[in-house]
Amino acid sequence: MRKIKYKKARKVQPNQLIYTGIHKNQAPKMQLFVYDDLDFTEYRDLAISDFKECIDNSKTNWLNLHGLSDIETVEGIGDFFGIDNFLLSDILNTTRRTKMEESTSSLFFNIKSILPTENSDNINVEQISFLIKDEILISFQEKSSDFFTHIRERIRTHSGVVRTKKADYLLSLLLDAVMENFFITIENEEEKVEELINLSKSSTNPDVLVRIEKHRDNFSFLKRSIIPLRDSLYGIKTLKDDVVCNVIQMDSYVYFSRLHQKSLELLEQIESDLGTLESASNFFFSAQSHKMNEIMKTLTIVSAIFIPLTFIVGVYGMNFEYMPELKYPNGYYTVLGVMILIGILMVVYFKKRKWF
């Protein structure tokens, strides 16, 4: 899991444009979809100078930017669309928590997209930001990815109702696609947790506990990422009653309400998985304690058997001159036989009492 360097983030002023992410070598690439129910146009490798010619305000426009390391490109987009520097700073500062900000003519939303790392217990984190303004949806991604491939195909092939809806519906689809990554990550984590639970029942290797704690950290990070998302989606739900934002159509609030329900399902699932990890951790410690108790029981039984034998050896190890048994011709074999008999009787007694 990529650690967020908050110390570095605190040095960034609210209106200062500094990219704080790790994908600094990602060259910026822009893609534009212009569509309505009857027509569709796709522009690739777009430049800011092409915006005036390509953007059609009578249709729905989706501008997607991959790569945030080029500050001039982000700043150029902000200048063209009149985006406040405070929002541009939030887009570039990837340590910010999920948030939603609305006005009468725009809606800003950023979210953490989380996916599992292949052949690793780590998870990948990417910040994605969305801005709707004047029927134009702008999405900012740190790097090239295939999160929205199926949505692009739906637009190209006119599948479903996406071409008949406005930018607010498109935003709900994009948010839903990002939230699906949470489900994928949680499912991947659950498979690994199930493997750990089975391993904890058969192994007392400390590495099992280390992995349990690692996945506990992953689930805690997922929870911290989803809670502000839940709050932001609830905030969009409340816009319907407040009537302070004209960006979202009245018939589109139901889609954001469903996304809010999804966020609640994610949190419930994570709470359940955290409880499972807690049980696995407790089981591991119980298995360790049981193993230690078994070892101590064995050592105690062995010690108990040898206590009377040590006493007999100690008695006949005294160097007194007048000890009658020392003159017996078969004294050694007699004492040895008695010691063996005592040992056998004690083992039988312990076995009968089911002490081992």
Side-chain angles (χ1 to χ4, degrees), residues 86-345:
F86 286 97
L87 294 182
L88 294 179
S89 177
D90 286 340
I91 291 169
L92 293 171
N93 192 345
T94 59
T95 63
R96 298 293 187 194
R97 75 197 297 266
T98 295
K99 65 177 288 187
M100 184 270 296
E101 220 171 281
E102 78 284 348
S103 68
T104 54
S105 59
S106 66
L107 177 67
F108 174 75
F109 204 106
N110 72 355
I111 186 175
K112 304 296 183 187
S113 177
I114 297 176
L115 278 173
T117 303
E118 190 175 355
N119 300 323
S120 173
D121 288 338
N122 295 325
I123 54 179
N124 290 320
V125 185
E126 177 188 352
Q127 177 169 288
I128 303 177
S129 303
F130 303 99
L131 177 71
I132 299 182
K133 189 173 184 180
D134 302 325
E135 284 306 321
I136 299 172
L137 172 61
I138 311 171
S139 53
F140 300 86
Q141 296 182 246
E142 290 190 70
K143 61 184 180 67
S144 297
S145 58
D146 57 354
F147 301 155
F148 310 134
T149 302
H150 64 291
I151 299 176
R152 294 187 179 97
E153 286 302 314
R154 288 174 64 177
I155 295 174
R156 294 183 184 117
T157 60
H158 204 329
S159 299
V161 298
V162 61
R163 291 263 292 270
T164 66
K165 298 285 187 178
K166 300 295 184 180
D168 54 350
Y169 176 74
L170 178 60
L171 173 61
S172 70
L173 290 180
L174 298 178
L175 290 175
D176 185 61
V178 175
M179 291 180 69
E180 283 299 319
N181 294 339
F182 281 94
F183 283 105
I184 293 172
T185 305
I186 290 174
E187 183 178 358
N188 182 270
E189 287 290 311
E190 287 176 341
E191 290 176 358
K192 292 178 180 178
V193 167
E194 186 176 354
E195 175 189 341
L196 276 176
I197 292 173
N198 294 331
L199 194 60
S200 66
K201 294 178 180 179
S202 59
S203 172
T204 54
N205 191 324
D207 290 341
V208 175
L209 186 61
V210 172
R211 289 190 62 194
I212 289 175
E213 291 303 315
K214 172 64 177 175
H215 288 290
R216 196 199 307 274
D217 290 342
N218 287 351
F219 278 118
S220 297
F221 180 79
L222 285 167
K223 184 178 179 180
R224 292 197 306 271
S225 300
I226 295 172
I227 287 176
L229 172 62
R230 176 204 61 188
D231 297 340
S232 298
L233 290 169
Y234 181 78
I236 293 180
K237 283 176 58 179
T238 60
L239 293 179
K240 181 179 180 181
D241 301 324
D242 296 339
V243 195
V244 296
C245 183
N246 300 323
V247 174
I248 301 178
Q249 306 292 320
M250 291 299 293
D251 60 346
S252 296
Y253 281 103
V254 63
Y255 304 115
F256 292 98
S257 179
R258 291 172 184 171
L259 293 178
H260 180 251
Q261 290 298 320
K262 268 193 172 183
S263 67
L264 296 178
E265 291 176 16
L266 285 168
L267 286 174
E268 289 176 0
Q269 199 166 346
I270 288 173
E271 289 292 345
S272 174
D273 292 329
L274 283 172
T276 302
L277 275 176
E278 186 68 26
S279 298
S281 179
N282 292 337
F283 186 89
F284 179 83
F285 284 118
S286 297
Q288 288 276 50
S289 299
H290 179 71
K291 182 179 179 180
M292 181 62 67
N293 290 337
E294 288 296 316
I295 293 173
M296 293 303 298
K297 184 173 71 173
T298 302
L299 293 176
T300 302
I301 290 173
V302 171
S303 301
I305 291 173
F306 276 90
I307 285 174
L309 306 185
T310 304
F311 172 76
I312 295 174
V313 170
V315 169
Y316 288 103
M318 293 185 294
N319 295 319
F320 291 110
E321 182 176 355
Y322 301 104
M323 292 184 67
E325 293 88 352
L326 296 179
K327 304 298 182 179
Y328 291 168
N330 296 318
Y332 168 75
Y333 300 105
T334 302
V335 172
L336 191 63
V338 170
M339 292 171 64
I340 293 174
L341 180 62
I342 290 174
I344 293 174
L345 290 175

